[in-house]
Amino acid sequence: MSCMWYMDTSYADQREPHRPVDGVNIGVDQLASLGVLYWKLDPINFDAEGKLDKIRTERGYSYSDTITVSPEKLPNYEQKIKSFYEEHLHTDEEIRFILEGSGYFDVRDKDDKWIRIQVLPGDLLVLPAGIYHRFTLDNKNYIKAMRLFVGEPVWTPVNRPADDHPIRKKYVETFSI
């Protein structure tokens, strides 16, 4: 399982862990209370394992592709990595299955504090529509992930502040934020 913790408040490089010295891991149940879902799958034999197909069917994920984020593989890398780290929300779920490499998803808790989620190969993470979040690589500068969608992909971020956006209001109401 990935590690999850409350971030420190330093302004060090975003790719650093930002884990307080006395930081305690957060459990999957706490993430679930925010609507964040997590599964651990086999990153190499996931087709034979069958778990991903079951999740896709149950949740209606009908489209997928892969993205490799690294200075060598992603066009306009510097611009893209900065945009991924801008605090934002989406009008649809954000679903990522990590195939190779590592990075961090940060999500806001009910008190508006950042929770850092380290993602590693085999992690399948679902962020609900309307949750404030951001993404960054770690200091290895490489991740390959499968992106899953319900229907055609929608990648348009809505940057914070977006508290008046209908999907944010729905998220806040659903999860008592």
Side-chain angles (χ1 to χ4, degrees), residues 45-145:
N45 299 309
F46 59 88
D47 283 328
E49 182 182 48
K51 288 182 188 177
L52 181 59
D53 283 340
K54 182 178 178 194
I55 293 165
R56 288 175 90 150
T57 300
E58 289 173 355
R59 300 191 59 82
Y61 302 148
S62 57
Y63 180 92
S64 67
D65 66 11
T66 58
I67 184 170
T68 302
V69 180
S70 73
E72 299 79 27
K73 297 284 186 180
L74 186 66
N76 302 314
Y77 171 79
E78 290 297 331
Q79 179 185 1
K80 292 280 189 184
I81 204 72
K82 285 179 186 174
S83 71
F84 295 160
Y85 200 65
E86 287 289 321
E87 185 174 4
H88 62 278
L89 59 81
H90 296 284
T91 57
D92 294 314
E93 291 180 332
E94 182 164 337
I95 307 107
R96 298 295 181 267
F97 175 41
I98 310 307
L99 301 169
E100 299 173 359
S102 51
Y104 301 112
F105 277 94
D106 301 333
V107 298
R108 292 282 189 182
D109 77 351
K110 293 180 181 191
D111 296 318
D112 214 32
K113 294 179 183 173
W114 283 116
I115 295 174
R116 176 149 277 194
I117 305 164
Q118 179 185 38
V119 289
L120 302 168
D123 291 340
L124 173 61
L125 195 66
V126 178
L127 303 181
I131 192 171
Y132 285 128
H133 68 282
R134 61 191 182 188
F135 171 79
T136 189
L137 293 174
D138 60 16
N139 55 20
K140 296 174 188 156
N141 285 322
Y142 177 81
I143 198 166
K144 182 177 181 181

